[in-house]
Amino acid sequence: SQQGEEDPQALSIQEGENATMNCSYKTSINNLQWYRQNSGRGLVHLILIRSNEREKHSGRLRVTLDTSKKSSSLLITASRAADTASYFCATAGPYNNNDMRFGAGTRLTVKP
Amino acid sequence: DAGVTQSPTHLIKTRGQQVTLRCSPKSGHDTVSWYQQALGQGPQFIFQYYEEEERQRGNFPDRFSGHQFPNYSSELNVNALLLGDSALYLCASSLGASPYGRLYNEQFFGPGTRLTVL
């Protein structure tokens, strides 16, 4: 069964706007990762945040993690048409990073 | 440096048949994980191979089996195919030897194999 649940399921914005996607999970985690997938192709790793971290930045991406609420958010600033993709959060359990549990994803559309 | 490669890209089979999918990990990686992604869903973990052994398995029936070779490449076999096995099958590789690696190393995904069962 899937662990993370992304919200919203779909998001449509204009180029230049910010996009915020949320992820909730159910059990204790070691880390949480965000991935991007273009048109049903392979997943591209975006960022990993450990359970003892609260915020992490990578370029135009900002990820937050609230372990007390079992939730995370991904913010993409100044979005571009090329950011159009599906975004997934994945959680890793306490023992290893390889059995990751993915949510159903948020489908982001950035209109030029 | 080639990333994770998978073959074939697309595959069409009929119910009851058997299929073998192949994955070559990123150079230097020793651990391969397989995921099934149904249309509109997130990937679901099938199993993981390390040192030629299945180290961990998700909630998939025994019809799904795998193998890892000494060069770390891997195969996923599915027997007695069902219509519901139609999906994108993703392979991911990582470094899994050390405890730190198992906890924090990024998984690199291949482009996937699209399996259609008719």
Side-chain angles (χ1 to χ4, degrees), chain B residues 22-25 29 32 49 67-75:
Chain B
R22 296 176 177 83
C23 170
S24 290
H29 284 183
V32 173
Y49 277 84
H67 188 77
Q68 185 178 35
F69 300 94
N71 66 354
Y72 307 119
S73 66
S74 177
E75 288 182 348

Side-chain angles (χ1 to χ4, degrees), chain B residues 98-116:
Chain B
S98 70
Y100 183 89
R102 284 198 294 272
L103 287 174
Y104 298 118
N105 277 352
E106 173 187 343
Q107 288 198 40
F108 289 80
F109 281 80
T113 293
R114 174 73 63 186
L115 172 65
T116 301

Side-chain angles (χ1 to χ4, degrees), chain B residues 16-89:
Chain B
Q17 285 189 311
Q18 178 265 343
V19 68
T20 297
L21 310 181
R22 296 176 177 83
C23 170
S24 290
K26 182 177 170 64
S27 178
H29 284 183
D30 58 7
T31 300
V32 173
S33 302
W34 286 92
Y35 293 81
Q36 180 195 67
Q37 185 179 21
L39 197 62
Q41 299 295 316
Q44 292 205 42
F45 176 74
I46 302 175
F47 44 52
Q48 178 194 104
Y49 277 84
Y50 171 69
E51 291 188 339
E52 303 180 49
E53 290 190 358
E54 184 182 292
R55 181 158 73 177
Q56 198 162 347
R57 188 179 184 94
N59 188 25
F60 278 80
D62 292 344
R63 298 187 298 110
F64 290 77
S65 63
H67 188 77
Q68 185 178 35
F69 300 94
N71 66 354
Y72 307 119
S73 66
S74 177
E75 288 182 348
L76 164 65
N77 301 292
V78 187
N79 293 323
L81 284 167
L82 304 174
L83 295 179
D85 294 332
S86 294
L88 179 69
Y89 287 85

Side-chain angles (χ1 to χ4, degrees), chain A residues 19-22 34 46 61-63 72-76 87:
Chain A
T20 300
M21 288 160 271
N22 302 298
W34 285 91
L46 296 177
L61 307 180
R62 172 178 171 254
V63 168
S72 173
S73 67
L74 169 66
L75 169 67
I76 303 175
Y87 291 82

Side-chain angles (χ1 to χ4, degrees), chain A residues 3-4 25-33 48-51 90-102, chain B residues 35 45 48 56 99-105 107:
Chain A
Q3 162 81 304
Y25 57 92
K26 297 176 183 177
T27 61
S28 297
I29 61 171
N30 180 280
N31 65 67
L32 185 145
Q33 302 180 50
L48 179 154
I49 186 165
R50 301 179 187 182
S51 58
T91 55
Y95 302 112
N96 70 73
N97 191 33
N98 294 306
D99 173 12
M100 293 194 298
R101 306 302 170 103
F102 288 81
Chain B
Y35 293 81
F45 176 74
Q48 178 194 104
Q56 198 162 347
Y100 183 89
R102 284 198 294 272
L103 287 174
Y104 298 118
N105 277 352
Q107 288 198 40

Side-chain angles (χ1 to χ4, degrees), chain A:
Chain A
S1 61
Q2 292 178 319
Q3 162 81 304
E5 291 185 10
E6 290 88 347
D7 170 59
Q9 291 184 342
L11 181 61
S12 182
I13 59 175
Q14 294 293 134
E15 212 167 24
E17 293 180 337
N18 295 341
T20 300
M21 288 160 271
N22 302 298
C23 168
S24 60
Y25 57 92
K26 297 176 183 177
T27 61
S28 297
I29 61 171
N30 180 280
N31 65 67
L32 185 145
Q33 302 180 50
W34 285 91
Y35 285 82
R36 184 185 74 224
Q37 185 177 41
N38 291 77
S39 301
R41 299 176 67 184
L43 281 80
V44 174
H45 186 267
L46 296 177
I47 200 164
L48 179 154
I49 186 165
R50 301 179 187 182
S51 58
N52 61 353
E53 297 176 314
R54 291 296 167 259
E55 187 171 312
K56 207 161 183 180
H57 297 255
S58 176
R60 294 184 295 113
L61 307 180
R62 172 178 171 254
V63 168
T64 62
L65 179 64
D66 187 335
T67 53
S68 66
K69 294 182 180 178
K70 291 187 169 56
S71 67
S72 173
S73 67
L74 169 66
L75 169 67
I76 303 175
T77 60
S79 63
R80 307 165 182 168
D83 295 328
T84 295
S86 292
Y87 291 82
F88 295 91
C89 69
T91 55
Y95 302 112
N96 70 73
N97 191 33
N98 294 306
D99 173 12
M100 293 194 298
R101 306 302 170 103
F102 288 81
T106 292
R107 174 67 189 170
L108 174 66
T109 301
V110 181
K111 300 175 183 177

